[in-house]
């Protein structure tokens, strides 16, 4: 069940929100809801993603060489001669 939350914003901010929502094909309510969700998201989730991407960048090639059958295809594999590989 959802709850209604009422906020007051200045006209200029509302105009900017409306402009952004229109550009994204969404609503002001959806923009504000997304911002609220981002505000309460656990920052460790983004940090974990950064750690994982760094690990792949540092260790991905070693994994691919050790386990060539398990190496994921690279989205740009057609442009590389040494595919398969790992995208970081």
């Amino acid at each position: 069940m959802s709850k209604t939350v009422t906020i007051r914003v200045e006209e200029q901010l509302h105009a900017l929100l409306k402009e952004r929502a229109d550009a994204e094909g969404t609503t002001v309510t959806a923009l504000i809801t997304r911002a609220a969700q981002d505000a309460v998201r656990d920052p460790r989730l983004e940090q974990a993603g950064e750690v994982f991407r760094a690990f792949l960048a540092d260790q991905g090639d070693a994994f691919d060489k050790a386990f060539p059958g398990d190496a994921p295809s690279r989205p740009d594999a057609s442009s590389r001669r040494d595919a398969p590989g790992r995208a970081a």
Side-chain angles (χ1 to χ4, degrees), residues 6-65:
T6 303
I7 63 169
R8 295 188 187 284
V9 296
E10 294 181 8
E11 287 184 35
Q12 183 179 7
L13 177 56
H14 185 267
L16 292 171
L17 287 166
K18 179 72 173 132
E19 184 179 313
R20 174 79 174 261
D22 290 345
E24 293 184 15
T26 190
T27 64
V28 171
T29 299
L31 280 180
I32 293 171
T33 299
R34 187 174 10 156
Q37 289 168 337
D38 289 347
V40 298
R41 179 177 297 140
D42 189 335
R44 294 176 296 176
L45 293 176
E46 183 58 32
Q47 292 167 351
E50 290 172 13
V51 168
F52 181 70
R53 285 186 291 276
F55 174 81
L56 283 181
D58 293 342
Q59 304 299 322
D61 289 338
F63 179 88
D64 292 346
K65 288 177 186 173

